[in-house]
Amino acid sequence: MTKYRKKPVVVDAVQLTRQMCNKNDGLANPYQVGNKTFWLYYYSDHVIIETLEGKMKADIGDYIITGVNGECYPCKPDIFEAAYELVEE
């Protein structure tokens, strides 16, 4: 079997906090990424994100990642920490 290594990719990400969730219970808010707008529906302990693959749930502590093509999606902290490291600019 041939082995492959994933190419290094730099992404933007924000970790979801309780303060972010306490905004507008159930109301949609735009999340601007470059020239694309994604909709976040805030609840007391999570948000629903309209992604390219449909609606996805992000819990407090999850990361919201903006991918290399401007796509937006949630990621659990353990997976995020295993796959990404902080880039010092």
Side-chain angles (χ1 to χ4, degrees):
M1 181 183 312
T2 306
K3 296 186 184 286
Y4 291 87
R5 175 179 295 133
K6 188 174 181 180
K7 293 179 183 178
V9 175
V10 176
V11 298
D12 290 321
V14 61
Q15 192 169 27
L16 190 61
T17 65
R18 183 162 304 283
Q19 291 78 15
M20 294 167 71
C21 287
N22 286 337
K23 290 185 175 184
N24 301 307
D25 198 28
L27 297 179
N29 288 287
Y31 183 73
Q32 193 72 31
V33 179
N35 62 352
K36 296 180 182 178
T37 300
F38 296 90
W39 291 94
L40 300 181
Y41 298 85
Y42 290 90
Y43 296 93
S44 61
D45 62 348
H46 69 281
V47 296
I48 300 296
I49 305 169
E50 286 191 357
T51 71
L52 297 176
E53 290 82 29
K55 293 182 180 179
M56 300 180 83
K57 180 182 176 186
D59 296 309
I60 291 173
D62 289 355
Y63 286 84
I64 300 173
I65 298 174
T66 303
V68 295
N69 295 317
E71 71 279 17
C72 185
Y73 56 93
C75 183
K76 293 293 180 193
D78 57 335
I79 296 169
F80 183 86
E81 291 161 7
Y84 296 96
E85 62 186 2
L86 181 63
V87 174
E88 299 294 334
E89 294 187 56

